[in-house]
Amino acid sequence: MSDLPSRPVAVLVLAAVLSLAACAPATGTAAPPPGASSPASSDAPSATPTSTPADPLPADAIVHPTGPTDIVLRASTQGGFVRMEVVMGRAPEFTLYGDGRVLLLPEDIDADPAVPRPLREVRLTEDEVQRILGFALTEGRLGIAREAYLGGNMDAPTTVIEIHAGGVDKTVLVTGLVPDPAPGPEAADLAAFASLLTRLRALPTTADYEPERVVAILAETEPGPGVATVPWPWPDLAPADFAQPADDDPFPFPRRLLEPTERDAVGAAAGDGPVNLQGPDGRTWVLVIRPALPDEIAAAG
């Protein structure tokens, strides 16, 4: 691995933010929006795996998708005036899947932000899932939230919270979210979102996430003086074989779910830092590899 020059980029622009707000609907059966009958609770989940979402739900339960790759609740970060490699290697900080599986990115203020970090996981009971969803929809205000809060510093990262539960299917985008927002008409909502993220990040985990596959992300680059490049590792792959993002995709980098032999060829395990490759097209590419998420693996077929 080699040191890369810092290249600040503001990846997320207003047009991409507004297009992402109109996200695809979730799978699963809708239920009436949460109200007094929803089992919302501020009690922290114990993370003790004793049942699964396949168990029958009470009549007043918050209905949500139950598939093992269905996203029920996700929090992630996009954009910001940061190094390109940081944006390329980001994974969602929190994902709750329909079967109660949670993937969590532990916070580490001392870690190099350009190096993808290992994820942790835990399997929640349905009661614990219900408490998290109840909190998210009520105290966390996702049930009544708008789809975009863009009043913060546009150079700051955007927090993206996605939820599909209790008849609520939306993505909420918040620019420059901080734990103690400034006074204003949006302050109560912003404080609620920050409180929700704090709760999700504090969830205890039980094991490291062992990904079945990894995702390789490419971006064309101009290497700085003294920055070494390594030969392109895949004789049967070209940069064009990496899926190109759609024009409105807020993640504007080609990416590919690597086969095991393709991963072995690059000689970089998930979690390794960026590397510069000399492409077969004569151009230089920066490569970042991170763990593939269950929903990404399922989407690839």
Side-chain angles (χ1 to χ4, degrees):
M1 299 300 167
S2 58
D3 293 329
L4 295 175
S6 296
R7 293 186 296 280
V9 292
V11 173
L12 189 62
V13 296
L14 181 60
V17 167
L18 294 177
S19 70
L20 182 59
C23 69
T27 59
T29 305
S37 63
S38 297
S41 170
S42 297
D43 296 333
S46 63
T48 302
T50 58
S51 65
T52 71
D55 296 336
L57 298 179
D60 61 349
I62 300 172
V63 178
H64 61 82
T66 58
T69 61
D70 292 336
I71 299 169
V72 178
L73 180 63
R74 171 170 281 176
S76 57
T77 300
Q78 295 178 351
F81 196 69
V82 293
R83 292 168 57 190
M84 181 172 65
E85 296 85 356
V86 174
V87 178
M88 291 172 66
R90 281 178 177 149
E93 287 90 350
F94 177 93
T95 303
L96 168 63
Y97 291 100
D99 62 351
R101 186 186 198 180
V102 168
L103 296 185
L104 183 69
L105 185 65
E107 292 187 283
D108 186 350
I109 60 175
D110 297 323
D112 182 348
V115 177
R117 285 177 281 136
L119 293 163
R120 295 278 296 171
E121 70 172 297
V122 67
R123 184 82 60 171
L124 302 183
T125 68
E126 182 59 28
D127 283 345
E128 292 161 349
V129 170
Q130 290 289 313
R131 290 201 293 272
I132 286 178
L133 294 179
F135 185 94
L137 290 166
T138 54
E139 289 97 327
R141 295 205 178 200
L142 295 184
I144 60 172
R146 303 198 314 268
E147 293 184 337
Y149 295 77
L150 308 179
N153 179 2
M154 293 304 293
D155 286 338
T158 294
T159 300
V160 183
I161 308 173
E162 179 182 355
I163 187 166
H164 306 288
V168 177
D169 298 292
K170 68 172 66 171
T171 297
V172 178
L173 300 102
V174 188
T175 301
L177 182 63
V178 294
D180 187 18
E186 298 179 341
D189 284 351
L190 299 179
F193 303 150
S195 176
L196 172 61
L197 294 180
T198 297
R199 178 186 174 92
L200 298 180
R201 289 167 178 157
L203 191 73
T205 56
T206 58
D208 291 332
Y209 171 56
E210 300 292 343
E212 299 175 10
R213 307 276 291 277
V214 296
V215 177
I217 303 106
L218 280 182
E220 189 173 2
T221 186
E222 292 291 338
V227 176
T229 61
V230 299
W232 186 261
W234 302 292
D236 299 326
L237 289 181
D241 294 315
F242 285 67
Q244 300 295 317
D247 291 341
D248 59 351
D249 193 328
F251 187 80
F253 304 106
R255 49 198 181 263
R256 179 181 177 87
L257 199 67
L258 295 185
E259 300 293 343
T261 55
E262 295 168 350
R263 173 179 173 174
D264 292 342
V266 75
D272 285 354
V275 61
N276 283 335
L277 302 177
Q278 189 63 45
D281 52 4
R283 295 184 287 177
T284 302
W285 300 85
V286 60
L287 170 73
V288 173
I289 292 180
R290 65 158 175 82
L293 304 173
D295 52 293
E296 292 175 321
I297 296 172

